[in-house]
Structures are given as structure tokens and as C-alpha cells.
Amino acid sequence: MKKLLLIILATLIILTSCELTTKQNNSQRNVYLISLALNYETSNHSLNYTLNDQEGIFNEIKYLSHDTSSPFNYYLLTEDGTKLTINENGNIAEEAISFSAPSNKIKDLVLSKLSTYSSSMDENDILVFHYSGHGIEDGGLVYHIQELDNNNTGHKHNVLTISNDDLVNAIKGYKGVKLLLLDSCYSGVHYNEIANEYNKSSIKYLFEAPQLRRNIFTLTASSSTELAEELSGYGQLSKCFLEALGFNTSTKMPGRRYSKLWFSELVTYVQKYITSLQHPQGNEIKDFILF
């Protein structure tokens, strides 16, 4: 009996240790970026700097991709007032949108592109999904807003959202590393739901595809009960993440801070330098080289 227990224990240790670091050959991979930024100018709850967040994330990821000779594909959705701009690899389309008539168009575009990019990825590839906008108390990413409550605490009133399940269902089961970078209030809900999957018994993964959820990482602006702030021209999470990578938020010039950018180090940097009431959440145990 003792021998059997030792064998089971050894198996669990091996399985757990295999989950700590994602194997990557960074010189042979594709980088994908999907970014959704909304400023809600037509509502009473407009945001000031979400478009700056998107511009910075795009320029920095593009710079690091080229710096590592990694083919770079991107899909940017930008809601600016009543105008939606879609930029895929330099092909730009614009259309008018109405927030008086609820529509799932933005959600459908995001989830479709997440699924398309994910299905084309190999084991060494990486996909970054970046969101800057409002979040509500169940963690939903708000892409349509008619009103929030009077205190702007995020209660759901005439809003449409993208949920954690929406995101995960679009990307689970595919190869490669998926990073969800969520700069919104209550975004820690997404971290909690993903982290709970990692914390389940390793024995479970003997019977599941190893890429089901274990290759999904999150970095969120706040815990599941907190608001997220804008500061100095950016959302706090986007600003600290950019600076951790090497981006100069004053001059808006991209750069590289370290020769190898480990995800856990970026999480530590963000958590150290965001000193307000919001507490960013990120996977500290599992790790991979972002660039």
C-alpha cells in the first residue's frame, strides 16, 4: 500500500512540475494580438484613455515580435463614440454603430477572431487578447452600454457583455499560449475562474486534453471585487504592463526591458507598481517567456 502511495505521489509531482513552465521555442513562433478598446463617448460613463492603451499595446507587441523575428498578426477593434474601426493587419474598415439599438456585432467579431486565430496556432505560438473598457460585477466585459447605475458601481442595466466562458470557449482545446490581458473593473473574476481550473487535482488531467485550459493565462487590472482606474494617460494595468515590457509611456516609444521577458516577472512588476486600491491578479506559478 505504501509503495502504491509513493507511486501516485511521484506521478502527481511529475505532472505538477510539467505544468509550471510552458515549453517554447521563441525563435520559431507566430504572435497574434486581438485588442478591443472602447471609450463609450455617447454614454454618461465615458472613459478617457482606453484608446491610448490599445495603441501602446499594439506598438509594443509589434516591436517585440519584429525584434524576435516572429511573424505578427493583429486584429484591433476600436469603438470611438459612434464609430467602430476594425484594423486587421493594416486592412482598415469603419462603420457607424448605434448604442440605442443593442447589437452583438462586436462580441461576435471578437469571439470569431479569437477562435480563428487559436485554431491556426501551433504549440510555440502565442495569442494576446487585450481589453480596455468597462467591466461589471460578474466580470463581464461591456461592449454595449446604455446605462449603468447612478453610482457607476457596475450593476447591470442595459449592457451587453463578453463573459469568461465566452472567451474560454473560443480558445480552449487549441495549441499555443493564450494570454488574457484585461484592463477593466472586476476583471479578477476571470482570473479566479481560470485559476480554479489549474488548482483542481492533477489526476483529472490524465483524462483531459492537456491544452484544454492549462495554456490560458490571465493578467487582470483588479480583483473580482474592485474597480480599475485610469491614470496618467492610460489604464493603470495597461500602463504598468507596457512599462514592464520596455515601452516608454511618456514618449510612446516601444522598447525592451529584459533580454527574456518571463510572464511571472511581468506579473510581479505590475503588482509592485500599482499601489492604489486595485490589486492586479495574474498566474504567478505557471510561467512562460512572453518575448
Side-chain angles (χ1 to χ4, degrees):
M1 183 65 181
K2 288 183 178 179
K3 189 173 182 180
L4 177 60
L5 289 174
L6 288 174
I7 292 173
I8 294 174
L9 180 60
T11 302
L12 289 174
I13 291 172
I14 291 171
L15 286 170
T16 304
S17 63
C18 288
E19 292 176 16
L20 294 180
T21 303
T22 300
K23 294 181 179 178
Q24 292 172 293
N25 181 350
N26 292 335
S27 63
Q28 298 179 355
R29 71 170 183 183
N30 297 292
V31 176
Y32 299 88
L33 171 66
I34 297 176
S35 177
L36 173 59
L38 309 102
N39 63 12
Y40 314 95
E41 274 193 356
T42 59
S43 78
N44 293 327
H45 302 278
S46 61
L47 294 172
N48 297 316
Y49 305 128
T50 52
L51 307 193
N52 290 351
D53 294 346
Q54 183 181 74
E55 180 182 11
I57 293 294
F58 165 69
N59 286 327
E60 179 64 17
I61 298 296
K62 178 181 179 180
Y63 173 87
L64 292 174
S65 298
H66 292 169
D67 190 48
T68 55
S69 300
S70 303
F72 178 55
N73 293 279
Y74 60 90
Y75 188 73
L76 313 178
L77 285 90
T78 312
E79 177 266 300
D80 186 4
T82 58
K83 181 178 69 175
L84 177 66
T85 301
I86 304 169
N87 181 350
E88 182 169 20
N89 296 329
N91 297 313
I92 299 175
E94 293 183 350
E95 61 180 270
I97 52 177
S98 171
F99 287 97
S100 60
S103 169
N104 288 323
K105 181 177 180 61
I106 291 176
K107 176 180 179 178
D108 292 343
L109 287 170
V110 168
L111 297 182
S112 175
K113 191 55 61 175
L114 276 170
S115 180
T116 299
Y117 276 178
S118 293
S119 65
S120 66
M121 293 171 66
D122 291 327
E123 183 178 358
N124 293 322
D125 295 341
I126 183 168
L127 166 64
V128 178
F129 172 70
H130 167 251
Y131 172 81
S132 281
H134 278 304
I136 60 173
E137 289 174 320
D138 64 3
L141 310 179
V142 179
Y143 63 90
H144 172 94
I145 177 172
Q146 285 183 281
E147 63 175 301
L148 295 176
D149 66 10
N150 291 332
N151 296 320
N152 195 21
T153 59
H155 295 292
K156 185 180 293 186
H157 291 289
N158 297 320
V159 300
L160 298 176
T161 66
I162 300 172
S163 69
N164 180 265
D165 283 345
D166 290 331
L167 294 176
V168 170
N169 288 334
I171 61 182
K172 73 179 183 181
Y174 296 118
K175 296 178 181 178
V177 172
K178 319 295 171 59
L179 169 58
L180 307 180
L181 180 64
L182 308 177
D183 199 342
S184 56
C185 298
Y186 310 107
S187 49
V189 169
H190 296 265
Y191 170 78
N192 291 343
E193 294 190 15
I194 297 285
N196 285 340
E197 288 296 316
Y198 290 123
N199 293 332
K200 291 179 180 177
S201 170
S202 295
I203 291 180
K204 174 185 176 184
Y205 291 119
L206 291 172
F207 308 99
E208 289 189 359
Q211 69 272 24
L212 185 60
R213 286 202 185 197
R214 290 185 292 168
N215 62 349
I216 302 175
F217 295 76
T218 53
L219 180 55
T220 68
S222 66
S223 75
S224 60
T225 60
E226 296 172 332
L227 302 179
E229 299 180 10
E230 294 187 304
L231 182 70
S232 302
Y234 296 88
Q236 280 226 62
L237 175 67
S238 296
K239 182 176 188 290
C240 279
F241 182 77
L242 284 168
E243 291 175 346
L245 292 176
F247 189 85
N248 187 319
T249 53
S250 297
T251 63
K252 297 188 176 182
M253 293 297 294
R256 171 181 283 276
R257 181 174 291 274
Y258 307 108
S259 59
K260 288 186 177 179
L261 294 162
W262 287 89
F263 178 65
S264 60
E265 294 175 339
L266 300 178
V267 173
T268 300
Y269 181 98
V270 168
Q271 291 176 334
K272 178 180 179 180
Y273 287 98
I274 292 184
T275 56
S276 65
L277 297 178
Q278 67 191 73
H279 296 83
Q281 306 293 304
N283 307 69
E284 299 92 348
I285 299 177
K286 285 176 59 64
D287 206 4
F288 67 95
I289 298 175
L290 183 59
F291 285 102

